[in-house]
Amino acid sequence: MDYQHIITIEPGKRSGKPCIRGMRITVYDILEYLAGGMTEVEILEDFSELRLEDIKACLAFAADREKKLFVASL
């Protein structure tokens, strides 16, 4: 999924954390809700400004970051 038009990073907003479409809702917020057991439908009900595409973009963003993460052995 191409999330580049959905996930935005602005230095003055939420301390530069990745947000959804310039809003103050971060990728981390969405991931925490999902990890805490909320369903996509529940998140969308609680945040009417969000779309299902936004949640999918958060997951794709997190997957890309995980793919790029590596641990250097000593």
Side-chain angles (χ1 to χ4, degrees):
M1 167 181 218
D2 181 19
Y3 55 78
Q4 293 180 352
H5 66 283
I6 297 173
I7 306 301
T8 58
I9 299 174
E10 300 174 46
K13 188 172 287 174
R14 296 292 304 263
S15 300
K17 294 178 183 171
C19 293
I20 300 170
R21 293 185 286 115
M23 294 184 276
R24 298 188 58 77
I25 302 170
T26 66
V27 169
Y28 177 81
D29 294 335
I30 298 302
L31 296 175
E32 277 287 295
Y33 297 141
L34 291 169
M38 285 182 79
T39 65
E40 292 172 341
V41 171
E42 290 171 328
I43 293 169
L44 295 173
E45 287 173 352
D46 284 355
F47 300 93
S48 60
E49 65 273 27
L50 291 179
R51 303 180 300 226
L52 182 58
E53 180 183 48
D54 298 328
I55 296 172
K56 301 288 186 196
C58 290
L59 293 170
F61 180 85
D64 276 355
R65 286 189 70 163
E66 177 63 24
K67 184 172 33 177
K68 295 173 186 173
L69 179 70
F70 73 96
V71 176
S73 60
L74 300 174

